[in-house]
Amino acid sequence: MTALNTYAPLAARILIGALFLVAGLGKLGDVAGFSGYLASGGLPAFLAWPSVIFEIVLGLALIAGFQTRIFALLGAAFCIVAAFLYHFNPADQMQMAMFLKNLAIAGGFILLASVGAGRFGVDKA
């Protein structure tokens, strides 16, 4: 169990952080299109750039283990908001799968917030 407790936070940070880093970098290719997507969920289009920057910074911070607890809580909130604004559609099975995926990632973030960066992070706690 000691090895699991030692390496699990690192693995979780890398896996979740990579998801957000790649997603944020991918949105850089079409910020205007992403702006339209944001507006379709009821958020103002001007939040596209802050959202893209947030995803990139979140991914990098998690991978590095920097301010893990704070970024994990912010990430959980981000996932829950995105789940309800963009994926909650009980009539569409694919959207409900995406909804549950976002909630599951939020759960992972909450666990990271509770355990911190672990041994192999800038935070070391």
Side-chain angles (χ1 to χ4, degrees), residues 20-45:
F20 282 86
L21 179 59
V22 170
L25 291 173
K27 288 180 180 85
L28 285 175
D30 187 14
V31 177
F34 179 58
S35 296
Y37 182 69
L38 278 180
S40 77
L43 291 177

Side-chain angles (χ1 to χ4, degrees), residues 4-94:
L4 180 63
N5 292 340
T6 299
Y7 295 104
L10 174 64
R13 289 189 354 253
I14 290 171
L15 292 170
I16 297 175
L19 173 71
F20 282 86
L21 179 59
V22 170
L25 291 173
K27 288 180 180 85
L28 285 175
D30 187 14
V31 177
F34 179 58
S35 296
Y37 182 69
L38 278 180
S40 77
L43 291 177
F46 74 83
L47 290 177
W49 274 107
S51 178
V52 169
I53 293 167
F54 174 75
E55 286 187 58
I56 293 169
V57 170
L58 174 64
L60 291 172
L62 285 178
I63 292 167
F66 174 74
Q67 296 295 316
T68 302
R69 294 176 194 271
I70 293 168
F71 276 106
L73 290 174
L74 292 171
F78 183 88
C79 285
I80 291 168
V81 168
F84 280 98
L85 289 180
Y86 298 97
H87 301 298
F88 186 74
N89 181 355
D92 184 337
Q93 185 176 3
M94 180 57 74

